[in-house]
Amino acid sequence: MEVIIQKDAAAARKLASKIIAHQIENKPTSTLGLATGRTMELLYSLLVDQHREGKLDFSLCRSFNLDEYVGIARDDENSYRSYMNMHLFNHVNIDLRNTHVPHGDEKDLDWECHRYDKLIDECGGIDLQLLGIGQAGHIGFNEPGSSLRSRTRVKPLAPETMEQNRPLFKDPNSMPHRAITMGVGTILDSRRALMLATGKSKAEIIRKAVEGPITSMVTASALQLHPQCTVIVDEEAAELLEFKDHYRWVFESEPEWVHYRE
Ligand code: F6R
């Protein structure tokens, strides 16, 4: 796991957008794993800007989102399908038929989860998986106690997650208590993982995920097992990390990052 500390949230987002752009340039047929949430909104707007400037071509890309609420219609304003259309898909040249979000309104949810994992496999797996981290330490909606080998399935949401996301619902009481989420195992199968976390509120959970023990109680800590995971944080989210000097040294000295340094 590599940790990159940037001076502020804007610089952290910019670096993440460059890594995604680089992935698409190198492999125009990339399969992207995508996340939702507040952290991603401004990152997606950077990708949209790059596309509008003619620098980013999504036409051959495919995407799989991490998760979707159970019981919410695809066209509901609170669905993650609507979020993705609104923040990214409607503004770039990705073919909507190549974008996948789990169907939280499917009657047979087990079947849907199985279909989703199978589709990821049939598409050759995920090249770059984008991730945020929740207050409960989750990646996707893999809440505390989730198996570190889990595949896509339905999970009940943790109280911290309910609290974190309830304000995003027009009627906060309508927030579902369950979601379909890619499993930790599904996420670990991606060829590259990129986590973005910014702001003071993420400092404690980032410390646990990055420098704490690998535990199903903080599923983001499983990323320590990922063969190529980059965690980008701003100074605020990095505040409680013990090995900051080491992370800075690696970013400043490794040739891989030369083109990414400002
Ligand atoms: C969303 C997702 C979640 C979020 C996490 C952080 O698809 O998978 O894991 O990335 O809850 O959310 P924000 O960015 O709102 O703090």
Side-chain angles (χ1 to χ4, degrees):
M1 179 187 269
E2 282 173 306
V3 181
I4 301 179
I5 304 171
Q6 295 288 277
K7 64 175 189 310
D8 55 26
R13 279 193 292 274
K14 195 160 171 210
L15 178 58
S17 77
K18 280 187 188 175
I19 293 173
I20 297 167
H22 192 66
Q23 168 70 39
I24 298 173
E25 277 155 25
N26 272 350
K27 185 180 175 191
T29 56
S30 286
T31 298
L32 305 171
L34 298 176
T36 59
R38 299 161 178 98
T39 314
M40 299 302 151
E41 289 177 12
L42 291 169
L43 170 60
Y44 290 146
S45 78
L46 289 180
L47 297 180
V48 170
D49 290 347
Q50 288 187 50
H51 169 72
R52 286 191 177 138
E53 288 160 17
K55 293 183 197 150
L56 204 48
D57 178 7
F58 288 86
S59 61
L60 300 177
C61 289
R62 267 190 296 237
S63 72
F64 285 90
N65 263 77
L66 282 166
D67 38 27
E68 179 61 281
Y69 292 110
V70 163
I72 276 200
R74 287 162 227 186
D75 59 358
D76 187 290
E77 60 179 338
N78 289 122
S79 74
Y80 281 169
R81 162 54 73 183
S82 297
Y83 172 107
M84 289 309 301
N85 289 351
M86 184 165 84
H87 291 289
L88 185 65
F89 299 153
N90 287 348
H91 313 290
V92 297
N93 63 338
I94 198 163
D95 184 337
L96 274 182
R97 289 169 302 183
N98 291 333
T99 66
H100 306 282
V101 181
H103 299 159
D105 55 355
E106 207 60 66
K107 265 208 181 90
D108 186 342
L109 292 170
D110 288 343
W111 177 88
E112 169 59 11
C113 295
H114 180 67
R115 179 196 71 86
Y116 204 68
D117 269 343
K118 201 160 150 260
L119 197 57
I120 295 173
D121 283 348
E122 284 166 5
C123 292
I126 289 170
D127 291 305
L128 175 65
Q129 177 65 59
L130 185 59
L131 298 159
I133 183 169
Q135 295 302 342
H138 66 207
I139 43 177
F141 276 134
N142 291 286
E143 303 292 35
S146 292
S147 157
L148 301 186
R149 299 184 65 181
S150 49
R151 314 304 303 179
T152 301
R153 71 225 182 287
V154 173
K155 282 300 286 180
L157 300 177
E160 297 96 314
T161 304
M162 293 298 297
E163 201 174 305
Q164 177 195 303
N165 287 1
R166 212 182 256 126
L168 302 175
F169 282 72
K170 231 184 210 151
D171 169 8
N173 293 324
S174 70
M175 181 177 165
H177 293 206
R178 296 193 305 156
I180 293 182
T181 180
M182 274 188 206
V184 182
T186 320
I187 293 169
L188 291 182
D189 283 348
S190 58
R191 283 183 270 283
R192 179 161 193 192
L194 178 63
M195 173 177 273
L196 176 64
T198 56
K200 255 193 174 44
S201 66
K202 298 286 168 81
E204 178 62 28
I205 201 65
I206 278 291
R207 183 186 66 76
K208 288 185 180 159
V210 171
E211 294 180 346
I214 297 170
T215 166
S216 63
M217 300 317 288
V218 179
T219 57
S221 67
L223 293 172
Q224 294 174 33
L225 295 169
H226 194 286
Q228 204 193 348
C229 176
T230 305
V231 178
I232 303 177
V233 283
D234 64 355
E235 289 287 354
E236 288 188 352
E239 199 184 338
L240 301 176
L241 292 174
E242 192 181 332
F243 294 93
K244 275 194 256 192
D245 291 347
H246 171 77
Y247 308 138
R248 288 193 219 279
W249 158 252
V250 172
F251 186 64
E252 288 311 320
S253 56
E254 275 303 287
E256 182 198 348
W257 297 112
V258 102
H259 301 297
Y260 292 96
R261 294 196 282 266
E262 296 262 294

